[in-house]
């Protein structure tokens, strides 16, 4: 069984901002020690995919989002079915 925690964030992005966003996402992944990252275009906009190999690392990322008003829910249901 894979113990990684997967998190996807989808956001509409103007075409002109895609390259800047990719660089910003790389910096975020490094800052929060994501074990893997990817960015691809989905039906509703760009999808920023992060994988964390540790629940504590993911918890730091979730707290950062909450502190900046970017996450307004109390619990996060990740793709790997873990709740944080």
């Amino acid at each position: 069984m894979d113990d990684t925690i997967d998190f996807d964030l989808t956001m509409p992005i103007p075409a002109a901002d895609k390259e800047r966003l990719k660089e910003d996402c790389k910096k975020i992944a490094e800052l929060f020690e994501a074990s893997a990252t990817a960015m691809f275009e989905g039906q509703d906009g760009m999808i920023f995919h992060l994988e964390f190999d540790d629940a504590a690392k993911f918890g730091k990322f979730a707290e950062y989002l909450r502190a900046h008003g970017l996450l307004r829910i109390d619990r996060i249901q990740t793709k790997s079915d873990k709740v944080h």
Side-chain angles (χ1 to χ4, degrees):
M1 172 108 177
D2 184 4
D3 287 334
T4 62
I5 299 167
D6 299 349
F7 178 79
D8 285 341
L9 176 64
T10 304
M11 59 192 119
I13 302 294
D17 292 338
K18 285 183 184 177
E19 285 306 312
R20 183 183 56 82
L21 179 66
K22 287 180 183 180
E23 289 302 314
D24 289 347
C25 289
K26 286 180 190 177
K27 291 175 187 174
I28 290 169
E30 289 173 8
L31 180 65
F32 291 99
E33 302 177 64
S35 54
T37 184
M39 178 172 276
F40 47 93
E41 196 154 353
Q43 183 177 352
D44 297 324
M46 294 298 290
I47 298 172
F48 178 37
H49 175 81
L50 289 170
E51 292 178 15
F52 297 88
D53 58 5
D54 180 291
K57 291 176 185 176
F58 179 74
K60 286 179 16 182
F61 176 66
E63 278 306 311
Y64 173 83
L65 293 178
R66 283 186 190 107
H68 289 86
L70 300 171
L71 186 63
R72 297 188 179 120
I73 57 177
D74 292 331
R75 295 164 36 126
I76 300 171
Q77 181 75 40
T78 62
K79 290 177 67 177
S80 52
D81 292 330
K82 294 183 181 180
V83 177
H84 299 274

